[in-house]
Amino acid sequence: MRTVVVTGTDRGLGHALAALSLEAGDRVIATYRDDKDAVLRPLAERFSGRLSLVPLELGDAANIAAAARRIRELTSSVDVLCNNAGILGDIEFSVGDAPFDPNEVLETIRINAIGPLRVTHELWSLLIAGREKLLVNISSEAGSIGQNWRDRWFGYTMSKAALNMEAALIHKRLLPLGGRAMLVHPGYIRSYMHGAKNEKATYEPEEAARLVLAAIAQRATCPAGERPDYFDLHGKDLPW
Ligand SMILES: NC(=O)c1ccc[n+]([C@@H]2O[C@H](COP(=O)([O-])OP(=O)(O)OC[C@H]3O[C@@H](n4cnc5c(N)ncnc54)[C@H](OP(=O)(O)O)[C@@H]3O)[C@@H](O)[C@H]2O)c1
């Protein structure tokens, strides 16, 4: 049985990734910030013994360290660490507009890029003790500089580009140990990044999660390259 850690599981893609991994037979350690809609308890009852719930706030280093201590009490190894949790931040500001709030950009980078780095750092000993040693960062097509089409979304796009570079660095550490990192764009999802459920989006979180997990499993059958695979939910490569 694999042990999988997923962050941000109280809603959206993370919840679906955790539920599908449980259905597939994995043991799941699911982190959440605030299970507002009480969706995790029923999952814990349904998969009793295979789901552990751990509070984790990405913006708080002490909180991440405490979550990691709790996870180390629960397991001696992690096969797959999936950094899923993230925020959108301000997507309206463009250069030259007033007012400009650089702190808003910094906050998005702090949550989306530094948060996952802290989580990976704190869980490193467990990850390299796992069989798969697989780091999955849920990135976005918005992190691709090579196919950028936007003229705003500064915090989000910069944070995902940073998350991608972070995975490239960690991949170099994992490769000689038999592990690897992957970066996945999960599609345009009817999740809650915009506040309310985004009904305009293309995929329900469950559909996206199913495709994401299949694409990851397919990639895992191919040898790891010098850089992390960066691909979308259909398994298509994205330019860096
Ligand atoms: N939605 C899309 O179309 C889309 C497209 C490309 C990539 N993605 C990526 O997919 C991932 C999942 O997003 P989603 O679409 O499922 O959005 P979502 O419905 O907003 O879910 C985001 C999750 O991240 C958690 N989170 C946010 N800030 C956090 C913090 N400071 N500490 C701990 N957890 C925090 C949220 O917890 P709370 O409920 O407590 O806020 C929630 O569980 C993100 O990395 C996102 O960038 C999404």
Side-chain angles (χ1 to χ4, degrees):
M1 194 193 302
R2 302 189 315 171
T3 299
V4 175
V5 173
V6 187
T7 64
T9 58
D10 64 294
R11 64 184 190 180
L13 180 71
H15 186 72
L17 288 172
L20 289 175
S21 298
L22 286 162
E23 280 170 21
D26 293 331
R27 177 184 184 200
V28 175
I29 299 173
T31 83
Y32 66 100
R33 185 164 60 159
D34 177 10
D35 187 13
K36 297 170 283 297
D37 299 325
V39 295
L40 287 169
R41 290 284 155 208
L43 206 61
E45 279 159 27
R46 184 166 155 220
F47 294 102
S48 103
R50 280 200 292 119
L51 174 61
S52 306
L53 303 176
V54 176
L56 184 148
E57 162 57 63
L58 279 178
D60 181 338
N63 184 290
I64 294 174
R69 277 197 297 278
R70 175 69 190 128
I71 293 171
R72 282 194 290 273
E73 286 167 8
L74 292 167
T75 184
S76 57
S77 65
V78 167
D79 295 295
V80 184
L81 168 57
C82 179
N83 282 310
N84 162 78
I87 58 171
L88 189 57
D90 173 56
I91 57 174
E92 299 301 329
F93 167 81
S94 191
V95 65
D97 293 350
F100 171 45
D101 180 4
N103 288 327
E104 200 283 330
V105 176
L106 279 173
E107 180 62 8
T108 308
I109 294 172
R110 198 170 77 89
I111 300 301
N112 289 359
I114 309 299
L117 178 57
R118 282 195 168 125
V119 170
T120 308
H121 172 72
E122 291 288 348
L123 296 182
W124 183 249
S125 60
L126 296 183
L127 185 63
I128 62 173
R131 280 183 306 273
E132 294 197 23
K133 303 174 184 42
L134 173 60
L135 173 70
V136 176
N137 281 354
I138 300 298
S139 180
S140 170
E141 51 77 29
S144 165
I145 296 171
Q147 68 169 40
N148 174 56
W149 51 270
R150 295 174 173 84
D151 66 2
R152 55 200 74 213
W153 293 47
F154 281 86
Y156 190 73
T157 54
M158 289 164 71
S159 72
K160 291 298 187 180
L163 183 73
N164 290 358
M165 186 66 201
E166 175 181 318
L169 300 173
I170 297 168
H171 184 71
K172 291 281 187 206
R173 293 290 309 280
L174 286 170
L175 270 182
L177 304 174
R180 68 199 292 179
M182 294 185 189
L183 289 155
V184 188
H185 165 59
Y188 186 30
I189 309 172
R190 293 182 207 123
S191 64
Y192 301 86
M193 292 212 100
H194 295 262
K197 184 168 178 175
N198 180 10
E199 298 290 354
K200 286 189 303 201
T202 313
Y203 300 99
E204 282 298 321
E206 295 70 24
E207 296 174 83
R210 211 173 280 284
L211 289 164
V212 163
L213 289 175
I216 293 169
Q218 199 281 326
R219 291 282 170 156
T221 64
C222 307
E226 280 304 304
R227 274 181 289 281
D229 288 350
Y230 178 26
F231 54 94
D232 72 9
L233 70 171
H234 304 296
K236 184 170 164 284
D237 283 312
L238 287 165
W240 289 79

